[in-house]
Amino acid sequence: MTKSRPERRSWAEPYKIKMVERLKMTTPAQRKQAMETAGFNTFLLLSEDVYIDLLTDSGTSAMSDYQWAGMMMGDESYSGSQNFYNLEANIKKHYGYEYIIPTHQGRGAEHLLSKICIKPGDFVPGNMYFTTTRLHQELAGGTFVDIIVDEAHDPMNLNPFKGNVDLQKLEDLILRVGADKIPYVSVAATVNMAGGQPISMENLRAVHTYCQTHNIKIMLDATRAVENSYFIQQREVGYADKSVAEILKEFCSYTDGCTMSGKKDLLVNIGGFLAINDTKIYEEARNLVVVYEGMHTYGGLAGRDMEAMSRGIEEAVQDDHIRARVGQVEYLGDKLIEWGVPIVRPVGGHAVYLDAKMFLPHLTQDQFPAQTLAAELYIDSGVRSMERGIVSAGRDLKTGKHHYPKLELVRLTIPRRVYTQAHIDVTVESILDVFERREEISGLEMVYEPKYLRFFQSRFIRL
Ligand code: PLI
């Protein structure tokens, strides 16, 4: 009997490999020891003990020869570096904002924006929190309020735009606290903690119109806005024939500024920026950046870093690049769905998220199911993932109690242009093995907890 012919894939990665980095192969006994030494926290592993590193897509991309060539063109003058002007021009061209402040990475921009715009007692609504973003808002005296649509909290819900803002929730907040207590609405695209879910153009446009009537600004977390634009092209009526670059420009036009971690969409290992249209905020940021990051024409970056990010923008907005990037994530997600592994659906832009509550239903949230699953997966195959559940959610700074997020997830984050389809297949095989013996897996107890962003450094022992 002949097998039926597979469906034509018709595309592969729009690049070829010119240089490789060798990986160490480890035994299960070595990995068990390494995980115990790391206190069952994948952040605390030595990277040399990791085989396939899906901890994060942040700063882990492979740069192109075009970007590396740009690194050689670094103008390392203290001020007025040519690379800053190249970066500024590309941000203006593709994101459309008026003023640019480079920062060492995304949280540097969040720090400046929060310090300038948020007063103690303010409220900052957003489409789900992100760890560093919310912390900077809180440290500036603000209170984060989640206004994402309810569907975002349901891993099985197939809404194509689970990153959307629920305008009713925004209106309720304004009625409760008054528009003058809301410095801006914080809109992320895509929404990392919801599983890399996009927000639609229609929704952002509606938020923009609504915010204008209340004179409230919208600040975009543009970290993965290119991936968001790709989803709009694929899923939203009226955008199929537009390029990702065109969609991105329109998308940003409904916002007043953005914070950016260039370490994701923009294909660099370090770098970020704050971009803004408001002259007053810009002047304040231009002044403050000197205090916290460096001169306003480098903001904590070397000239070569700015050049790599500038060139990264040009590559990031290419349709064939972004299709292959998201295509690889979808490949992993589709395989896991095929085998009945519980993941957040639809598959997001930068990562596949295992639903640890469904995967390990015998563990309570206090036994850290996602932290447990991430540790187990590493021991099985050397695949490193990240907890995105109760540990990441941290404690309420006022009450000191754990936040209990509805989503208890393990993130398998795909670096850009780094791993092959075979690496993804190995990852799937390992997850299936762990899934098969899931009932034997016991939970964890936290034995060390730092005060801020505890997921980076906390330590656990097995129950
Ligand atoms: O890691 P930074 O400081 O360059 O960027 C902070 C940051 C801001 N917004 C969003 C949506 C992020 O995903 C983000 C960083 N994310 C990390 C490190 C991640 O592993 O997802």
Side-chain angles (χ1 to χ4, degrees), residues 55-58 105-107 110 130 132-133 190 192 221 223-224 261 263-264 386 388 411:
L55 182 73
T56 179
D57 63 331
S58 182
Q105 59 182 78
R107 68 199 74 179
E110 290 169 353
F130 183 71
T132 57
T133 322
T190 57
N192 194 351
D221 181 339
T223 297
R224 298 183 183 86
S261 169
K263 299 169 74 173
K264 285 78 166 178
M386 182 194 288
R388 294 275 83 155
R411 191 180 72 174

Side-chain angles (χ1 to χ4, degrees), residues 11 34 36 51 71 108 134 139 161 252 285 320 329 363 420 435:
W11 62 268
E36 273 164 19
Y51 177 39
M71 296 283 281
R134 183 179 66 190
L139 290 174
F161 290 105
C252 294
D320 58 358
V329 179
L363 301 189
T420 65
F435 192 51

Side-chain angles (χ1 to χ4, degrees), residues 399-415:
T399 66
K401 297 217 167 95
H402 286 303
H403 288 293
Y404 281 91
K406 289 205 183 103
L407 298 177
E408 185 67 28
L409 308 175
V410 171
R411 191 180 72 174
L412 303 154
T413 337
I414 312 296

